[in-house]
Amino acid sequence: MGILTKVISASPIENLKLLELAGESAEGVIYPRLKFDPTKPTEIYKKFAKVFKDKYGISPGIAAAYSYDAASLLLYSIELGGIKGEQIQKIMSKVRNYEGVTRFFSFDENGDAIRETELFIVKNRKFVPLKIN
């Protein structure tokens, strides 16, 4: 299509199928990713990955890990506060340093997640940290 501008995306772009389908067109795509590195797994992540692989026959991708954390935190909040939206929000707004498979996170009083992120870029058909000078 002749688009020459930088493309900025969200972290679910980090998928090997993207590199396979988009090929050279994916080069230079920039996206934020939580400071979570499955190549340096925690014990919690190792347990999650083993159960996932045993059940589905493949290693979990980053989206599976994020989804697992979201569902776990939702169930945790329901257990502590109830099933209504305002009850869940009240519990989540008090969460500090919740340790999930994608590391630690907290929420502020507005319900926004507080997580460390870093920028990545597609370079030579790989997802690599973006070095900003």
Side-chain angles (χ1 to χ4, degrees):
M1 292 177 52
I3 299 172
L4 302 175
T5 60
K6 290 275 186 202
V7 175
I8 298 179
S9 184
S11 59
I13 195 170
E14 191 171 301
N15 183 311
L16 296 176
K17 194 71 170 170
L18 167 82
L19 300 178
E20 177 187 321
L21 295 172
E24 189 67 31
S25 297
E27 284 294 305
V29 172
I30 298 169
Y31 62 98
R33 184 176 92 180
L34 295 178
K35 281 201 168 189
F36 160 65
D37 186 353
T39 65
K40 297 175 186 162
T42 62
E43 287 305 312
I44 292 174
Y45 182 81
K46 286 177 188 177
K47 289 176 188 174
F48 161 73
K50 182 184 180 331
V51 170
F52 189 96
K53 189 164 187 168
D54 289 349
K55 182 165 181 137
Y56 300 108
I58 59 171
S59 294
I62 199 161
Y66 291 161
S67 298
Y68 181 84
D69 275 349
S72 295
L73 185 59
L74 178 61
L75 291 173
Y76 169 79
S77 298
I78 289 170
E79 247 179 51
L80 292 179
I83 197 160
K84 292 185 179 179
E86 57 273 0
Q87 295 166 325
I88 293 169
Q89 192 276 328
K90 184 176 179 181
I91 293 297
M92 283 191 177
S93 70
K94 295 177 183 173
V95 169
R96 300 292 180 267
N97 296 316
Y98 181 91
E99 186 174 9
V101 297
T102 61
R103 304 293 297 165
F104 296 95
F105 53 100
S106 301
F107 290 91
D108 66 15
E109 64 279 355
N110 299 313
D112 295 323
I114 301 167
R115 311 265 330 244
E116 287 187 85
T117 59
E118 56 190 335
L119 291 177
F120 272 67
I121 188 169
V122 177
K123 190 172 185 179
N124 299 321
R125 293 186 181 228
K126 292 180 182 170
F127 302 106
V128 297
L130 178 65
K131 304 293 183 207
I132 300 175
N133 298 333

